[in-house]
Amino acid sequence: MNNSTLLIFCVMLKNENQEYVLDKNLQDKYDILLGWRKRYTRKEYPRKVMTNLFYDLYAGKALWPKVAEFVSARDKSPGENPNIDFNKALKIIHDTRRKIQLEKIHPNLDLMLSNDVPITAKLCFSDSAQAIESAASGNDEDLEKIEYSYICHGLASNMISYWAAAVLSGKDPEKAIYFINDVLPGGNLETFDDLFEKLIFVSGLYLSGETTSGRNIGKYKALPAFSS
């Protein structure tokens, strides 16, 4: 199934818990951006936003092999690797992700960014270079694009942890996506790129889309103009 058919094969499901999680994560993103607006100048702010986004995305991507290792071990010896409670699994994932950030991403972030290490085949830091420069020079449209990217990609990055916890608690990797969401994207799930594409689709739908029944669920609101 290719990208053009992803929209056609989406099915709306209901999961009030994840809607709450997304609402909270969204508010957290807005609060962080507003805090950075107060702390940094207009020239500094755009790069700060994108640097922190990639710091988080790199850690999220690093969870993929960890989850794959767990699934492989569980499938080979199910009796020795019992499924665990979702909340306990989520704590394990959060702790693992934080350890990855501190030990692997933080000390290497500048090098990873300068080497343009990609998140997926379609997403790398250099993609935002022009928008960063333009926004830093006063272009409000590009500034909003950067803030929207931080929110949309950031929500998808947050969902990686919930997906991973669902897998650790016994869900099939594909079914884990709609366990944590009210959306079921189509397509394969064989690589991290596949996973992230699905979660970006969910995030974008949550921020600015409609359900298949026509219900508007867009939650995105642009921030007010940046005041220096």
Side-chain angles (χ1 to χ4, degrees):
M1 185 175 296
N2 58 36
N3 294 339
S4 64
T5 60
L6 191 61
L7 282 169
I8 299 174
F9 285 89
C10 75
V11 178
M12 301 308 300
L13 302 174
K14 181 65 177 174
N15 188 323
E16 294 181 355
N17 289 334
Q18 180 59 10
E19 184 175 349
Y20 168 76
V21 169
L22 283 174
D23 284 347
K24 182 180 184 304
N25 287 167
L26 177 60
Q27 187 58 53
D28 288 345
K29 301 300 180 193
Y30 280 125
D31 290 345
I32 289 170
L33 289 174
L34 290 171
W36 286 340
R37 279 181 169 217
K38 294 177 181 178
R39 183 175 178 182
Y40 297 98
T41 66
R42 172 64 183 256
K43 186 175 182 179
E44 297 169 324
Y45 175 72
R47 185 173 181 86
K48 172 67 177 180
V49 172
M50 294 307 296
T51 297
N52 275 268
L53 171 61
F54 272 76
Y55 173 71
D56 190 55
L57 290 174
Y58 284 134
K61 182 176 183 177
L63 286 175
W64 175 265
K66 297 287 187 182
V67 175
E69 289 172 8
F70 178 89
V71 172
S72 177
R74 184 183 62 193
D75 291 346
K76 290 178 180 177
S77 305
E80 298 176 13
N81 297 276
N83 298 324
I84 57 179
D85 174 75
F86 176 79
N87 289 327
K88 182 178 179 181
L90 188 59
K91 184 180 186 307
I92 291 172
I93 291 298
H94 283 326
D95 290 346
T96 300
R97 186 166 182 158
R98 186 58 178 161
K99 184 176 181 181
I100 290 170
Q101 286 178 320
L102 294 175
E103 295 182 0
K104 296 184 178 181
I105 309 303
H106 185 267
N108 297 301
L109 181 61
D110 289 342
L111 182 61
M112 295 171 77
L113 293 177
S114 64
N115 288 339
D116 209 22
V117 176
I119 302 300
T120 70
K122 299 178 181 178
L123 180 62
C124 55
F125 189 76
S126 63
D127 295 336
S128 60
Q130 184 174 350
I132 290 174
E133 182 177 352
S134 175
S137 299
N139 187 304
D140 290 335
E141 183 177 344
D142 281 331
L143 182 64
E144 184 181 350
K145 287 180 181 178
I146 285 174
E147 290 178 327
Y148 180 84
S149 180
Y150 175 81
I151 292 170
C152 186
H153 288 88
L155 289 177
S157 183
N158 291 151
M159 281 188 276
I160 293 171
S161 292
Y162 289 89
W163 168 83
V167 174
L168 262 64
S169 63
K171 297 292 185 292
D172 173 85
E174 290 196 43
K175 293 180 180 178
I177 294 177
Y178 55 81
F179 171 76
I180 64 166
N181 293 296
D182 61 353
V183 179
L184 175 60
N188 297 324
L189 180 55
E190 298 177 355
T191 67
F192 176 79
D193 285 31
D194 295 335
L195 173 66
F196 199 69
E197 181 178 9
K198 293 173 187 292
L199 297 183
I200 280 291
F201 172 75
V202 173
S203 180
L205 183 63
Y206 169 77
L207 290 173
S208 56
E210 292 183 347
T211 68
T212 51
S213 62
R215 181 168 62 95
N216 190 316
I217 59 171
K219 298 291 185 78
Y220 172 73
K221 303 294 182 184
L223 290 174
F226 191 102
S227 56
S228 302

